[in-house]
Amino acid sequence: MSTIQTNPIDGQKPGTSGLRKKTRVFMSPHFLENYVQSIFDGIDGVDGSTLVVGGDGRYFNDRAIQVILRMAAANGAARCIVGQNGILSTPAASHLIRKRGTDGGLILSASHNPGGADEDFGLKYNGPNGGPASDGVTDKIFAKTTEITAYKIIEAKDVALSRLGATTLGDMVVEIIDPVSDYADLMEELFDFNAIGGLFVGGFRMRFDAMHAVTGPYAKEIFENRLEAPMGTVAHGVPSEDFGGGHPDPNPIWAKELMDVMYGEDAPDFGAASDGDGDRNMIVGLGAYVSPSDSLAVLADLAHLAPAYADGLAGIARSMPTSGAADRVAEAKGIEIFETPTGWKFFGNLLDAGRATICGEESAGTGSNHVREKDGLWAVLLWLNILAKTGKSVSELLADHWAKYGRNYYSRHDYEAVDSDAANGLMQALRDQLDDLEGASFGGLAVSHADEFAYDDPVDGSHSESQGIRIFFEGGGRVVFRLSGTGTQGATLRVYLEMLETDPAQLHHDPQDALAPIIAAAQAVAGIEERTGRSAPDVIT
Ligand code: G16
């Protein structure tokens, strides 16, 4: 074993979901090693521990895993459970951590960010409950990155990641497992595979776009093998290290090919996509894109149609920027609704405590208490289960939902790679004027309330501040300003726009049209163009 002298890595505070950086930063001398040692030290060591290790297969995944294994061995870990060829989707990793009762896991992914030598890489630690590290643990890891003076690594040959079975590395056991089967078994327990299979027997057509990312093998096993959907149902199903040169983010912009199919001639009945590491999802019916906030609300409303949720839900949780559509479902069902800061880690305590059963975020994440991550294929299967049981189409289900609960028109406008000082200045200026906003009017829209979101965890009492600036308007409109925690270049300003419509005659407009007054008010209140130099968002979803 070698102990390598090293230097602290400055300013590497992990963001919303672990540490994400340009791949070349992770590949620079000692960077990955310093971060891995800081994780191990931040969780009070891994001596005698069992860890799950795997990633989304992006460029540098396999090399990084070899380093992590040699460092885990040097730090005294007893066993590492590794997905074959280094592959594990994020939800599958979460499931394995829980199923095998391990001490946590290291997941290599920059999620929906592009992959490649000149693109993004990421690494995060998930705890023994299978979920992303809490803020407290993340802070400890960060503190270690600023103090580190040495890391431990053994010298050894590469482990053959393609060979299933157990082998040893130093004194540590490395167990290479099939990354798909445990996860597929779990899905089969949760959902009515007979009913879903019946859809396909009846000629129902679906296109699942794996976006050249990690869910390809999972989707093929589940849809084409176990549910016997026709071969070819899964598109772009072979993971590639640069995601086929694409941007594996399942939204109408980056999954445009799927949108074109679903809005084109001879479209299938149902379309879905997931992201780089398999935790996000996009749902689109025949000519009917489902916004993630609506998806959460519909799934929560009808989850009892799937076996795992037949007894109803304990509660629903959504991130603050997610629309309030799910709130009215919770109200109608008489169950608790929780509004948390952005980041799946905030759902962990609620799920562990049995207070929430289903969680969701506007950023295309939905999931439940079956794992401690959001889960793209889970959301697709729950939609399919509901379609099978109701016999309705996606657009019929949406129309029913809006007629019953009203519609939260919703959109997110992203300004990417903005100068960090300009973005921070914009947020500070909003913060400074919060008290003066109440009663102010923008293009006829009066502000009813404005604040900066803070959260007190109802389970452990921890307090999180500065989680986004919210401005509420008379009549049910809202705009939220927040800086992304997952970007790797400059700052990304996210502007979340929402308006509740309950008039039955006004439920079927284009969201950008319905939201036009809120969009104008958001620009006026924040001075986006003056401060960032951007006259239009880079991405509208
Ligand atoms: C991560 C977290 C999500 C969160 C998202 C926010 O997603 O896991 O819970 O909603 O970040 O991203 P941002 O801070 O950029 O708005 P993922 O899919 O990137 O792991």
Side-chain angles (χ1 to χ4, degrees), residues 39 42-44 111 191-192 196-197 199 219 222 224 338 355 361 384 390 396 418 425 445 469 525 534:
I39 292 176
I43 59 172
D44 301 325
S111 189
F191 299 112
D192 187 339
I196 301 173
L199 278 177
I222 292 169
E224 296 180 0
F338 299 92
R355 304 263 308 257
E361 298 187 292
L384 289 171
T390 59
E396 284 168 337
V418 172
L445 272 181
I469 288 175
V525 79
R534 305 289 179 81

Side-chain angles (χ1 to χ4, degrees), residues 459-526:
V459 179
D460 69 11
S462 57
H463 181 74
S464 307
E465 288 188 341
S466 306
Q467 298 294 333
I469 288 175
R470 317 188 283 185
I471 301 174
F472 298 89
F473 298 99
E474 305 282 356
R478 182 184 77 158
V479 56
V480 174
F481 297 91
R482 184 182 156 269
L483 299 186
S484 156
T486 61
T488 56
Q489 225 176 350
T492 295
L493 171 67
R494 303 210 191 283
V495 184
Y496 308 84
L497 305 138
E498 177 182 1
M499 196 197 64
L500 173 63
E501 178 60 73
T502 51
D503 179 348
Q506 305 296 334
L507 296 176
H508 296 276
H509 295 298
D510 180 315
Q512 301 307 317
D513 295 338
L515 290 165
I518 307 271
I519 294 169
Q523 277 160 354
V525 79

Side-chain angles (χ1 to χ4, degrees), residues 378-401:
W378 171 91
V380 176
L381 285 162
L382 183 49
W383 266 97
L384 289 171
N385 198 138
I386 291 169
L387 293 172
K389 286 292 187 184
T390 59
K392 291 187 175 172
S393 68
V394 172
S395 52
E396 284 168 337
L397 287 171
L398 274 181
D400 287 357
H401 190 90

Side-chain angles (χ1 to χ4, degrees), residues 37-364:
Q37 188 67 50
S38 299
I39 292 176
F40 291 165
D41 294 345
I43 59 172
D44 301 325
V46 292
D47 196 26
S49 297
T50 296
L51 297 170
V52 167
V53 181
D56 62 11
R58 69 181 57 223
Y59 185 85
F60 193 50
N61 189 61
D62 49 355
R63 298 307 317 151
I65 287 177
Q66 299 290 352
V67 170
I68 290 168
L69 294 178
R70 294 208 303 276
M71 289 186 65
N75 279 272
R79 178 181 289 258
C80 280
I81 302 167
V82 186
Q84 188 179 27
N85 297 318
I87 292 287
L88 274 177
S89 78
T90 291
S94 180
H95 176 52
L96 259 185
I97 291 171
R98 297 166 64 76
K99 185 176 176 205
R100 300 285 301 267
T102 71
D103 301 291
L106 294 179
I107 303 176
L108 302 90
S109 172
S111 189
H112 52 288
N113 293 5
D118 295 312
E119 298 293 353
D120 293 353
F121 193 78
L123 176 61
K124 71 170 172 173
Y125 166 73
N126 278 28
N129 76 342
S134 66
D135 263 356
V137 172
T138 303
D139 287 346
K140 277 167 82 179
I141 293 171
F142 174 56
K144 295 293 179 189
T145 67
T146 65
E147 321 170 332
I148 186 167
T149 55
Y151 62 82
K152 293 181 193 161
I153 190 160
I154 63 166
E155 278 149 38
K157 277 205 229 148
D158 281 358
V159 175
L161 297 177
S162 59
R163 201 179 307 142
L164 291 173
T167 172
T168 53
L169 185 66
D171 295 332
M172 183 179 83
V173 176
V174 178
E175 185 185 338
I176 310 284
I177 53 129
D178 170 6
V180 173
S181 56
D182 287 317
Y183 176 84
D185 291 348
L186 174 66
M187 294 300 115
E188 210 164 334
E189 279 166 33
L190 299 177
F191 299 112
D192 187 339
F193 269 39
N194 282 336
I196 301 173
L199 278 177
F200 294 115
V201 172
F204 177 91
R205 289 188 307 138
M206 156 176 171
R207 180 180 172 90
F208 178 84
D209 191 336
M211 301 188 85
H212 305 276
V214 78
T215 47
Y218 295 85
K220 282 191 178 161
E221 171 62 16
I222 292 169
F223 299 128
E224 296 180 0
N225 291 347
R226 299 197 185 191
L227 289 165
E228 296 182 19
M231 291 297 169
T233 296
V234 177
H236 306 313
V238 179
S240 82
E241 61 180 22
D242 69 346
F243 307 118
H247 195 136
D249 194 358
N251 63 42
I253 309 293
W254 298 116
K256 184 172 181 306
E257 186 187 312
L258 177 63
M259 290 297 282
D260 289 347
V261 170
M262 295 307 297
Y263 282 78
E265 272 178 32
D266 195 31
D269 302 287
F270 184 74
S274 68
D275 71 330
D277 62 332
D279 56 3
R280 297 186 174 205
N281 74 87
M282 180 174 98
I283 303 295
V284 50
L286 199 57
Y289 165 72
V290 185
S291 82
S293 295
D294 276 348
S295 182
L296 170 66
V298 172
L299 293 182
D301 195 30
L302 300 175
H304 57 273
L305 297 175
Y309 311 99
D311 293 338
L313 311 178
I316 307 170
R318 67 166 172 87
S319 68
M320 180 276 284
T322 304
S323 93
D327 301 21
R328 289 189 307 291
V329 173
E331 198 184 323
K333 290 186 181 297
I335 57 175
E336 282 194 289
I337 177 85
F338 299 92
E339 186 178 31
T340 63
T342 295
W344 203 262
K345 61 188 170 196
F346 290 101
F347 296 137
N349 280 343
L350 298 169
L351 292 166
D352 285 348
R355 304 263 308 257
T357 308
I358 285 194
C359 309
E361 298 187 292
E362 53 67 39
S363 57

